[in-house]
């Protein structure tokens, strides 16, 4: 079933085919730790997230990711290109997050990497 999560400040609309749950907000965004705790409380122990740079970066920064599936196209973008991860605040090499390659394979022209912390 579909579950829509929202900040406590938002009222949930009525929908017969979906559930709604309120989670605390933090700095104008949902508290990701609270989201995962709510899902765990409902027996959901695996979450797959297809996300952009902001949510991906926030999940990694909060330490809420144990596995990353990354598709890398053989394309280079300049400094104006969208980042893979936003908000990680990594400015020096000694702040890097080291990941372990569990699997790698070619999918068409792209490289598919399964990475774990």
């Amino acid at each position: 079933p579909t579950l829509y999560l929202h900040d406590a400040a938002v009222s949930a609309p009525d929908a017969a085919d979906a559930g709604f749950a309120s989670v605390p907000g933090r700095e104008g965004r949902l508290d990701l730790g609270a989201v995962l705790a709510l899902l765990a409380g409902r027996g959901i122990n695996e979450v797959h997230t297809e996300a952009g740079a902001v949510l991906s970066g926030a999940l990694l920064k909060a330490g809420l990711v144990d596995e990353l599936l990354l598709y890398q196209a053989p394309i280079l973008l300049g400094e104006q290109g969208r980042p893979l991860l936003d908000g990680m605040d990594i400015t020096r090499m000694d702040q890097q997050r080291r990941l372990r390659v569990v699997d790698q394979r070619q999918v068409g022209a792209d490289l598919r990497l399964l990475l774990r912390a």
Side-chain angles (χ1 to χ4, degrees):
T2 300
L3 176 64
Y4 292 97
L5 302 178
H6 59 86
D7 185 303
V10 176
S11 62
D14 290 328
D17 61 341
F20 294 85
S22 175
V23 293
R26 182 184 302 173
E27 299 176 10
R29 301 181 186 270
L30 296 181
D31 180 327
L32 296 174
V35 167
L36 293 181
L38 180 139
L39 294 175
R42 291 173 176 240
I44 299 169
N45 63 7
E46 186 171 321
V47 177
H48 296 244
T49 306
E50 183 175 352
V54 174
L55 180 54
S56 296
L59 287 165
L60 280 160
K61 185 176 182 178
L64 300 173
V65 174
D66 60 3
E67 192 170 84
L68 181 66
L69 184 59
L70 176 67
Y71 287 85
Q72 175 65 52
I75 297 170
L76 298 176
L77 301 175
E79 64 275 1
Q80 299 303 314
R82 294 275 306 159
L84 174 64
L85 304 167
D86 195 15
M88 294 288 293
D89 301 325
I90 297 173
T91 58
R92 298 184 324 266
M93 287 298 288
D94 64 350
Q95 297 171 313
Q96 65 183 292
R97 298 271 182 103
R98 177 79 49 188
L99 301 172
R100 179 173 48 93
V101 177
V102 175
D103 184 55
Q104 63 183 2
R105 60 184 74 170
Q106 189 139 3
V107 178
D110 297 346
L111 184 61
R112 176 190 181 270
L113 299 169
L114 178 59
L115 309 167
R116 289 197 183 128

